[in-house]
Amino acid sequence: MSSQSKRREMDVMKLMMNDYVVETINDILNEFIVGFHGPKESLYEGGLWKIRVELPDAYPYKSPSIRFVNKILHPNVDETSGSVCLDVINQSWSPMFDLLNIFEVFLPQLLLYPNPSHPLNRDAASLMMKDRKQYDQKVKEFCELYAKKEDIMKPTAGEETDGDEDVTDEETCSSDDEIDGRADP
């Protein structure tokens, strides 16, 4: 078994040992779905999302592809594909990071500190900048409609399992989408 295969197995095991629900696709560890809870004290608290993870053959030296399967309203998540615009995954990935970093640090930071200046979802970004109160209400509505706990591991309408996505995360977002722990003004 190659060191990359061992690393892949170890990272998936870490997720499961930290109480993440992991469901493989086609019984391989290259593609799987992870149940992800919205961060506490955020608009997404109480929501539960399916996150599709695709590990390239060169993982951990090449970053995984991450996308939301069920709908989420967020400026940095593409509304149709669920692709995530996150600098640390798309441009700054390092083999020092693992899948647990994605689910315990990177995705929670993305949800806590959206960056409407470089959106994948222009409608969400525009609403967030023009009417924050209405944006907050709409996020909560999306959580109620699309991120209910009882629906998390059921197949979602339109859910792809063949991975034929034409646009990569790197092609759709700019390189200065850093999450530095501060909310955008």
Side-chain angles (χ1 to χ4, degrees):
M1 181 181 285
S2 74
S3 63
Q4 290 170 325
S5 294
K6 287 179 185 175
R7 169 67 186 269
R8 185 182 318 254
E9 286 182 20
M10 185 175 71
D11 282 4
V12 172
M13 288 301 292
K14 272 190 196 176
L15 284 175
M16 291 188 287
M17 289 174 16
N18 283 279
D19 297 326
Y20 287 94
V21 175
V22 178
E23 183 180 292
T24 60
I25 299 171
N26 300 326
D27 294 324
I28 56 173
L29 288 181
N30 287 22
E31 298 178 54
F32 46 92
I33 303 288
V34 177
F36 173 70
H37 292 269
K40 292 186 185 319
E41 299 180 20
S42 77
L43 296 173
Y44 303 93
E45 183 174 13
L48 191 57
W49 286 268
K50 289 182 180 181
I51 306 294
R52 183 182 174 114
V53 179
E54 296 178 30
L55 301 178
D57 291 338
Y59 179 83
Y61 303 104
K62 187 171 183 220
S63 67
S65 174
I66 305 294
R67 72 177 183 89
F68 285 81
V69 175
N70 44 329
K71 288 187 178 189
I72 184 169
L73 183 69
H74 191 283
N76 308 112
V77 178
D78 184 89
E79 62 187 314
T80 54
S81 72
S83 294
V84 175
C85 187
L86 189 55
D87 182 59
V88 74
I89 294 173
N90 298 327
Q91 284 87 26
S92 305
W93 181 260
S94 164
M96 293 187 320
F97 300 135
D98 63 16
L99 296 173
L100 201 55
N101 291 121
I102 291 171
F103 289 95
E104 298 212 339
V105 179
F106 305 151
L107 285 178
Q109 289 289 303
L110 177 75
L111 297 186
L112 287 165
Y113 307 106
N115 183 354
S117 301
H118 300 284
L120 285 177
N121 182 337
R122 294 189 189 285
D123 292 338
S126 177
L127 183 60
M128 182 182 182
M129 290 190 290
K130 290 179 181 173
D131 188 344
R132 184 61 190 243
K133 188 175 180 180
Q134 186 179 7
Y135 169 82
D136 291 356
Q137 180 181 354
K138 195 160 184 159
V139 166
K140 290 177 183 178
E141 287 173 15
F142 266 61
C143 289
E144 184 61 32
L145 289 171
Y146 305 111
K148 292 180 185 172
K149 192 172 202 165
E150 58 270 14
D151 297 331
I152 184 59
M153 296 315 270
K154 293 179 188 175
T156 304
E159 179 177 322
E160 297 175 25
T161 56
D162 59 3
D164 61 353
E165 190 68 35
D166 290 333
V167 180
T168 64
D169 295 338
E170 292 87 356
E171 294 170 343
T172 58
C173 64
S174 68
S175 62
D176 57 349
D177 290 332
E178 294 188 33
I179 295 181
D180 60 1
R182 290 177 288 125
D184 288 317

